[in-house]
Amino acid sequence: MLMGEYAYSIDAKGRLNFPAKFREEMGERFVVTRWLDGCLVAFPLEEFAQVAEAFAQKGMAKSRDIQRFLFSAAEEVVPDKQGRILLPGVLRRHAGLEKEVTVIGNRNHAEIWDTAAWQAYNQRLETDSAALAATMEELEL
């Protein structure tokens, strides 16, 4: 299971050191693409295949917009010997990634955030704990 929060910097070539604790679970190759809330998502190949299959089960027409959003920008990445992955410009622009980056574990995937955006997002969550509690109740947790 992927969990935790790690701070990194993107270098001038667009490379990001991906957390060592995540690399083993992600595998030798994994997929990075655009995600909701203005961040990126990294899925192990098997998980990304399951996402694709879930869309196939729902029907192409019904899910075409989200498929275009996810798959058109998807990039299969391979960490180098230092554990860095190259994030293409289209992905960096989507998430506003310039220098300071936070990588978080979120159960079966990792999210890659601009650090300032992650901090602002967390602040919103912390100030609206009633909404979080309502969602937990709705999900029967």
Side-chain angles (χ1 to χ4, degrees):
M1 180 180 307
L2 299 171
M3 55 188 169
E5 180 177 314
Y6 303 89
Y8 292 102
S9 295
I10 292 181
D11 70 15
K13 295 181 182 179
R15 296 176 299 193
L16 169 67
N17 190 355
F18 204 74
K21 287 187 174 187
F22 292 177
R23 288 195 301 262
E24 184 175 325
E25 193 158 336
M26 296 298 285
E28 290 182 21
R29 300 172 173 274
F30 53 95
V31 175
V32 177
T33 192
R34 293 183 286 208
W35 198 232
L36 309 173
D37 302 315
C39 68
L40 303 180
V41 65
F43 282 108
L45 288 177
E46 304 78 33
E47 289 285 339
F48 198 65
Q50 289 177 10
V51 169
E53 182 58 31
F55 284 123
Q57 298 298 320
K58 300 295 181 190
M60 294 284 290
K62 195 173 207 176
S63 63
R64 69 185 180 275
D65 288 341
I66 190 68
Q67 287 187 75
R68 288 174 182 144
F69 179 77
L70 292 177
F71 294 99
S72 67
E75 187 75 28
E76 188 173 306
V77 297
V78 179
D80 65 14
K81 291 179 182 176
Q82 288 79 37
R84 298 172 301 190
I85 58 171
L86 178 62
L87 296 174
V90 66
L91 293 178
R92 292 193 314 269
R93 284 188 296 278
H94 168 78
L97 304 178
E98 293 182 20
K99 188 70 176 162
E100 302 305 315
V101 174
T102 300
V103 182
I104 65 164
N106 192 349
R107 197 177 50 86
N108 67 341
H109 65 275
E111 294 176 5
I112 303 168
W113 288 79
D114 169 74
T115 296
W118 172 245
Q119 291 169 346
Y121 184 81
N122 263 324
Q123 185 64 37
R124 284 193 307 273
L125 290 177
E126 290 173 7
T127 58
D128 197 5
S129 61
L132 288 175
T135 301
M136 288 180 74
E137 203 160 302
E138 184 179 312
L139 295 171
E140 299 179 356
L141 296 174

